[in-house]
Amino acid sequence: QSTRVLQVRVAALGSALVLVLADDHTEARRVEEVRRDFVVNVSHELKTPIGAMSLLAETVEQAADDPEAVRRFAGKIQVEAARLSALVAEILELSRLQVADSLVEPAAVRVVDVVAEAVDRARTGATAKDIVLEAGEDPGVSVWGDRDLLVTALRNLVDNAISYSDPGTQVGVGATVRDGVVEIAVVDQGIGIDARDVPRLFERFYRVDPARSRDTGGTGLGLSIVKHVVADHGGEVTVWSEPGKGSTFTIRLPLLGEDADTEPTVPPRL
Ligand code: ADP
């Protein structure tokens, strides 16, 4: 009798193992597909500025005896080169985040510092576009993580808020504490996002309006970087938006307790 039970158990274990293995196999295939898609997308994205530069260089050659035209086209080549360099920087950042899914030297980070630095760095862009950029009050709390990565993530959201808003509008960045979680929200009065685009926003290279994104120097990678950074910190990023009214992107992160000097061994997860 007991042998039978054992046999049944072994058989059950066997099929569970097969299931797990099959699952691993599907996961491996999915990872491989994602990687292949990424390489295809990257090549495509790199070709655009490179193609534009080579076309512009030809035009410069043909306009050699018109100094004004040469200056104009040289300027356009510089714009494309800057775009290419931003794209390469973001691709590197994203692949670094994908390889290491844990933080290198995490520490207690004051939320007010992250907000101040992200807002500070975005200030010039806001002023140039006549957008009023404001930071809210200090929530007086800290999170566990990598300060530079958190600034990069928040900066991406603030830059987007500026890019997708019209002159004369306001962008606000505020942090509030709720149920052991800090919510850092970036609020704009910009063009907003259609509900059907929201689920795809955080995909690599996804843009609602590719032409507008390109005009504002966007790479289509900003929000995937935000998603990765926030996930590595045990948090989540959400979006609320209404076309024509504006958008609010919210980063939610687990709070570091009062006892911020004692390092948690694992980051608390939301
Ligand atoms: P990009 O470099 O194109 O800005 P992102 O990954 O940062 O790439 O954003 C993806 C797309 O999401 C953008 O192209 C834009 O269409 C949309 N988007 C992001 N933030 C906002 C915002 N604050 N308001 C309206 N649309 C936005």
Side-chain angles (χ1 to χ4, degrees):
Q1 181 73 22
S2 67
T3 328
R4 255 191 77 96
V5 171
L6 197 66
Q7 270 171 351
V8 170
R9 281 212 183 125
V10 170
L13 202 66
S15 51
L17 201 67
V18 169
L19 271 181
V20 170
L21 286 177
D23 229 35
D24 264 8
H25 199 68
T26 334
E27 175 62 12
R29 209 164 38 208
R30 200 190 60 80
V31 168
E32 176 56 26
E33 263 166 29
V34 168
R35 200 191 60 81
R36 217 174 19 222
D37 280 358
F38 186 49
V39 173
V40 171
N41 284 340
V42 164
S43 330
H44 176 78
E45 296 289 334
L46 290 176
K47 273 186 193 155
T48 311
I50 292 173
M53 281 199 285
S54 92
L55 218 63
L56 286 163
E58 265 174 41
T59 319
V60 169
E61 210 171 29
Q62 282 158 14
D65 44 7
D66 180 351
E68 172 47 34
V70 168
R71 234 190 324 269
R72 198 153 33 92
F73 288 116
K76 289 187 180 197
I77 293 178
Q78 275 168 355
V79 170
E80 292 299 328
R83 184 164 298 164
L84 193 57
S85 134
L87 183 59
V88 169
E90 295 218 321
I91 291 169
L92 288 178
E93 176 87 63
L94 194 60
S95 42
R96 212 158 45 91
L97 284 166
Q98 274 163 347
V99 171
D101 51 0
S102 57
L103 305 167
V104 184
E105 271 183 51
V109 182
R110 294 192 327 151
V111 171
V112 65
D113 294 340
V114 175
V115 172
E117 197 171 331
V119 165
D120 238 35
R121 291 204 209 158
R123 178 79 59 201
T124 320
T127 312
K129 234 183 128 176
D130 192 24
I131 283 175
V132 182
L133 176 59
E134 271 175 19
E137 284 171 17
D138 176 6
V141 291
S142 298
V143 292
W144 183 248
D146 181 314
R147 179 182 159 139
D148 289 345
L149 283 182
L150 289 171
V151 170
T152 301
L154 190 59
R155 164 92 198 267
N156 266 308
L157 295 183
V158 180
D159 281 347
N160 276 350
I162 296 166
S163 294
Y164 300 103
S165 291
D166 289 328
T169 58
Q170 295 182 4
V171 170
V173 186
T176 47
V177 175
R178 209 185 312 248
D179 305 328
V181 167
V182 60
E183 296 186 349
I184 311 172
V186 178
V187 187
D188 68 49
Q189 303 170 319
I191 59 172
I193 304 155
D194 208 283
R196 66 161 185 240
D197 292 305
V198 169
R200 302 200 56 192
L201 281 189
F202 295 89
E203 283 176 23
R204 291 172 301 201
F205 297 118
Y206 185 78
R207 305 158 168 117
V208 175
D209 177 353
R212 173 150 190 166
S213 162
R214 224 159 259 140
D215 281 351
T216 58
T219 60
L221 289 177
L223 287 180
S224 348
I225 291 177
V226 174
K227 190 177 159 195
H228 258 280
V229 170
V230 174
D232 286 352
H233 284 79
E236 63 187 16
V237 51
T238 53
V239 48
W240 171 91
S241 189
E242 215 178 310
K245 292 229 166 106
S247 311
T248 299
F249 282 79
T250 307
I251 292 177
R252 301 176 78 238
L253 297 168
L255 273 186
L256 200 57
E258 297 283 295
D259 204 7
D261 287 340
T262 47
E263 303 176 2
T265 43
V266 282
R269 297 227 150 235
L270 278 186

